[in-house]
Amino acid sequence: MNIVFIIQSLSLGGGVERTLTDKANYLAEAGHRVTMVTYEQGLHPLSFELHPAVSHVDLECRYFTLFRLPLLKRLPKIRALKKLFLARWNQLTDELRPDVIVMTTYSDEFRREIVSVCKKGYRLIMESHTAFLYDKKPKNILDRLRQAYDLHLIRQCDMVLALSEGDAAFWRRYVADVRVLRNPVSFYIDDPASRAVKGTRRIISAGRLNVPKRYDLLIEAFALIADRYPQWQLDIFGNGPLRDELQHRIDAKGLSGRVVLNKPTPAIYEAYLRSDFLVLCSDYEGLPLVLIEAMACGIPVISTDCPYGPREIIDDGVTGLLSAMDAQALADKMEWMMSHEAEREEMGARAHQAAARYKKDVVMVEWEKAYLSLPSRQSP
């Protein structure tokens, strides 16, 4: 099978980039022809290593750079860039002649151009890596019109692959073939009891430093209990537009050195293994990979009970804890985890067992079946 993935960039070390890279590598190792297409990569290095058999092509259409221009200059540049993208995309797909093209919900800027290949007979799958209903929630009438047009385009896809039942329920209103598949975890420790470092008194969190991830709430919750647990610290791994604001909040709370904003790392699993538990406090999620990654390393997790995903991953009180979206409620869950060492270790062991269903050799078989299940069209 000849598969093409298309995404803005592989330079951000986020869950989507990691997941697509893992899937591309698995499929290449299984003997499929795989091409990873980006359009905003530029000279930025890849965050995660691609298998030597995976081809990488960048269309060099960096849409985000246009926002530096005044509006009147920006509009003609946008039209020209879309025209350039379409020409390069058509040329590439006609050269590769893929059996399946896979895009994500994040390619808003060039959705129309990507979807246009359906008219030429190519099969197109959209992967929803978020809670679309919340992530793309319209703020005004212009947003509603944009979303309506985006959904019109997505209706032309042959299949939508969602990560949670909640997100899938939304897509079934628009697309006939909607399936729920789990993301694979890259690393699964064989024996969590063999973790070299335990009792580090370190809490870990990882993700983009933006509004939906609610790191402001996490910092507030930690501040409520920090004085009672002076040996504990919180390490946050991620980049994003709120870095300076969050650092100011940390400093204002007197938590400098105890709450640390670390840059993203490709060795995130080593960071999990040197932590006691993970906390996620998002407003919404797709299927939060960080929860699964931490559980695969044998540490328990705490998450806000947000739509969608955490409740489908965590067995509350067994493999982790679910919290209301409230600083005090989250602080109470964190304090329980910090003060119950034996129970925390037992919970981590159960979390590790539960994460086995996300192992790559289990999950990727289902993704491969989904890609192969599309009936072939007449070649373009």
Side-chain angles (χ1 to χ4, degrees):
M1 182 171 58
N2 183 357
I3 308 171
V4 168
F5 292 93
I6 181 163
I7 187 175
Q8 298 102 309
S9 169
L10 291 172
S11 60
L12 295 175
V16 177
E17 293 81 11
R18 179 188 292 276
T19 297
L20 288 188
T21 300
D22 283 347
K23 285 192 283 194
N25 291 347
Y26 175 93
L27 292 165
E29 290 173 359
H32 299 288
R33 181 184 176 188
V34 182
T35 304
M36 184 67 74
V37 180
T38 56
Y39 50 86
E40 292 188 342
Q41 189 72 28
L43 298 176
H44 298 288
L46 302 178
S47 294
F48 307 104
E49 186 177 357
L50 287 170
H51 189 280
V54 177
S55 300
H56 175 221
V57 178
D58 186 54
L59 298 179
E60 297 185 40
C61 295
R62 291 184 285 175
Y63 191 95
F64 71 93
T65 61
L66 302 183
F67 289 94
R68 302 169 186 166
L69 302 173
L71 181 61
L72 291 179
K73 291 185 178 181
R74 189 190 313 161
L75 293 177
K77 292 284 188 180
I78 288 175
R79 287 194 292 270
L81 190 63
K82 284 179 174 286
K83 185 176 180 180
L84 177 64
F85 178 96
L86 184 60
R88 291 177 175 175
W89 176 236
N90 279 327
Q91 180 181 352
L92 180 63
T93 51
D94 287 346
E95 288 175 0
L96 296 175
R97 301 175 69 84
D99 298 307
V100 175
I101 297 170
V102 180
M103 69 172 177
T104 74
T105 49
Y106 294 108
S107 296
D108 308 68
E109 309 92 341
F110 296 111
R111 181 93 68 216
R112 182 177 66 85
E113 290 74 22
I114 295 172
V115 171
S116 68
V117 297
C118 293
K119 298 176 182 177
K120 298 162 62 177
Y122 293 112
R123 290 294 191 181
L124 182 63
I125 294 175
M126 193 199 71
E127 295 185 2
S128 179
H129 289 262
T130 185
F132 188 89
L133 179 64
Y134 295 88
D135 192 36
K136 308 292 185 180
K137 192 172 184 178
K139 299 180 179 64
N140 51 51
I141 189 169
L142 185 58
D143 281 350
R144 286 196 290 271
L145 291 173
R146 286 172 178 161
Q147 186 182 84
Y149 183 61
D150 201 25
L151 291 170
H152 164 72
L153 295 172
I154 291 169
R155 281 189 180 99
Q156 300 175 48
C157 294
D158 296 283
M159 181 188 299
V160 169
L161 298 177
L163 301 180
S164 68
E165 294 293 345
D167 194 40
F170 170 82
W171 287 114
R172 289 190 178 110
R173 292 151 50 185
Y174 302 97
V175 180
D177 192 353
V178 179
R179 309 182 192 185
V180 179
L181 296 176
R182 310 304 184 192
N183 273 337
V185 67
S186 303
F187 175 86
Y188 186 84
I189 187 172
D190 292 329
D191 180 14
S194 67
R195 276 199 298 136
V197 182
K198 296 181 182 179
T200 58
R201 294 182 174 83
R202 180 167 89 156
I203 306 164
I204 187 171
S205 189
R208 187 154 172 75
L209 306 182
N210 58 14
V211 173
K213 295 297 184 183
R214 293 303 308 273
Y215 284 110
D216 60 322
L217 183 72
L218 177 57
I219 294 167
E220 178 66 28
F222 184 75
L224 291 174
I225 54 176
D227 288 345
R228 295 200 293 274
Y229 298 90
Q231 293 181 310
W232 283 79
Q233 84 170 54
L234 169 62
D235 273 319
I236 299 170
F237 288 82
N239 271 331
L242 297 186
R243 172 174 282 275
D244 291 343
E245 179 181 324
L246 292 172
Q247 186 60 60
H248 177 74
R249 184 180 293 269
I250 291 166
D251 296 341
K253 296 285 184 182
L255 294 173
S256 301
R258 293 193 60 195
V259 179
V260 180
L261 300 179
N262 302 277
K263 291 182 179 180
T265 172
I268 189 63
Y269 290 102
E270 294 180 14
Y272 292 137
L273 290 169
R274 293 180 176 273
S275 304
D276 285 310
F277 62 94
L278 175 136
V279 182
L280 177 91
C281 51
S282 299
D283 278 329
Y284 56 84
E285 284 284 347
L287 191 81
L289 190 61
V290 292
L291 294 181
I292 303 168
E293 291 175 337
M295 291 165 66
C297 290
I299 65 172
V301 294
I302 299 173
S303 176
T304 50
D305 190 10
C306 66
Y308 304 106
R311 183 165 287 276
E312 296 182 28
I313 297 170
I314 299 171
D315 186 354
D316 191 22
V318 179
T319 60
L321 301 174
L322 291 170
S323 170
M325 181 60 74
D326 174 80
Q328 186 60 62
L330 188 61
D332 291 343
K333 302 290 183 180
M334 293 167 65
E335 183 169 20
W336 185 93
M337 203 74 84
M338 295 158 79
S339 60
H340 291 77
E341 183 174 355
E343 292 89 340
R344 185 178 70 236
E345 288 295 326
E346 291 174 6
M347 189 175 282
R350 292 192 295 267
H352 175 260
Q353 293 172 356
R357 61 181 170 144
Y358 300 100
K359 291 173 70 173
K360 194 182 300 184
D361 58 350
V362 175
V363 172
M364 275 311 302
V365 171
E366 299 304 316
W367 285 91
E368 188 176 17
K369 284 180 181 177
Y371 296 147
L372 287 168
S373 69
L374 286 176
S376 61
R377 287 178 175 172
Q378 185 176 356
S379 298

